[in-house]
Amino acid sequence: MRSVVAGATGLILLLSACGSSPDAVPRSATADALTSSAATAAERDLGAEPGSVAYRSLDVCALVPAAALQQGYAGEGGSGSVSLDVLAPARCTYSLSDSGGWAVLELALPRERLPSDVRTTDAGVNKVDSGASGVIVYDPAIASLHVLSTSGYLLRVSGPGDTPDAQRLALALARQVRQRLTQPPPTLAVRESDVSGRDRCEAADQAGVVASLNLQGPLESSADGRLCVLPDQFWVGFHGERGYPKRLPAEKVRIGNVTAEVRPDLCELIIPLHAAPKQARWHYDSLLARPDPEKGPPCDRFITSLAPLVDLLANKQ
């Protein structure tokens, strides 16, 4: 049996650069204190659940082109040019060239794991922007904006929020995402045989990764299925590059029939499998995997356990 956790393949990519594990998104103490009251509030009408297959087909980074966000940002009073960098199928980083500010667009947590002050009508200290195209719930304490569109797709915008321009950029992005999702969304040309088109937990089950480590417990999946977690043990997600930047120390390691890169200090692996699908905005279909640094399996055992999964995903049908 599987449960579902953050749709944050992109969160892993961000934390990978910092050498951190994909812990839950931090929440403010005030937001935590609101949990008991929010739990009794009415649930928001989030519309029909698209499902993981639809989320994998959603071209998140085509929702708001950089030029469109540039106009929306200027309309919010912002100054400076906006650029877009695509790191994965559902992770888009919009950057301000002048001030160094940025905003990240990615999938939100699955519905049952949304914070209570987002999922219910008790918004607590959050700001709420409601309109015919949906609701934006903004937590200023952690610069996080949840876009609850009437189409049923749920996305999240985050950023440093440490300057007025960074706040304007995040708000403009959230509003444009909400409006764009009133129309049929852009889609990715991914197949189920593509690494970017497969459910990671289903593949891990099929490859017997958990059993090979003599572990127990339900695997937890992201909203799009591209991230699979065994809590306190390991995670396997998606990466859009073939390897690490040259500035990061990494070694070559053979996993199954694939040559991967590992950061020895973290036992974090990038495992390149295939070129990205046609017209993809990222460069490569790779796995990004890592054991829990405190409770997870030893590095050598973890690498060995991944071999059947790597061979399964590397062999397209």
Side-chain angles (χ1 to χ4, degrees), residues 23 38 80 133 138 178 225 244 266 273 280:
D23 297 328
S133 54
Y138 175 35
R178 179 179 61 177
Y244 289 102
L266 302 172
L273 298 175

Side-chain angles (χ1 to χ4, degrees), residues 122-195:
D122 185 344
V125 297
N126 291 342
K127 297 179 180 180
V128 179
D129 180 358
S130 298
S133 54
V135 176
I136 296 172
V137 183
Y138 175 35
D139 183 349
I142 58 174
S144 173
L145 299 91
H146 282 85
V147 181
L148 315 177
S149 73
T150 53
S151 67
Y153 287 104
L154 310 180
L155 288 94
R156 178 175 177 262
V157 175
S158 60
D162 53 353
T163 67
D165 275 350
Q167 295 172 9
R168 293 184 183 107
L169 182 70
L171 183 58
L173 177 55
R175 285 176 170 166
Q176 290 204 1
V177 168
R178 179 179 61 177
Q179 182 60 39
R180 178 62 182 84
L181 286 171
T182 61
Q183 307 166 25
T187 57
L188 292 167
V190 295
R191 302 170 298 175
E192 290 187 9
S193 59
D194 293 325
V195 177

